[in-house]
Amino acid sequence: MDDTAPATTPTKATPPVKPSIFAVRVRQLTTPWWRLVWLIGGLAWAVVFNIVYVTTGGTQEWWGIVSVIPIALLLLDLLRIERLERAAEQKRQAELKNRS
């Protein structure tokens, strides 16, 4: 560094930017790859069984219930992941608090 160069002033460190809740949900739905396949398959499953339910005049009510099973299971899996991530974050916060 040159002796005649002005000294740089320290800048405030910017906090890390948290991703939006939408971006987090999209990431959870599409990673790993099998979850994206599960989502697309669940939507196709729902459409097919809803079409069957509507074309049969709605007489077989269980067709409507069967149509939402894959998406319900996907949502339960996402809730499980979110609970695990929240517990890990609380554990990290507790460790940081204990260090201080």
Side-chain angles (χ1 to χ4, degrees), residues 57-77:
T59 57
Q60 300 292 331
E61 294 171 353
W62 61 274
W63 287 109
I65 296 168
V66 168
S67 71
V68 297
I69 289 174
I71 294 177
L73 292 176
L74 178 63
L75 292 176
L76 286 175
D77 184 50

Side-chain angles (χ1 to χ4, degrees), residues 18-19 28 42 57 62 71 86 99:
K18 289 181 72 173
Q28 287 177 342
W62 61 274
I71 294 177
R86 188 178 302 133
R99 289 182 190 172

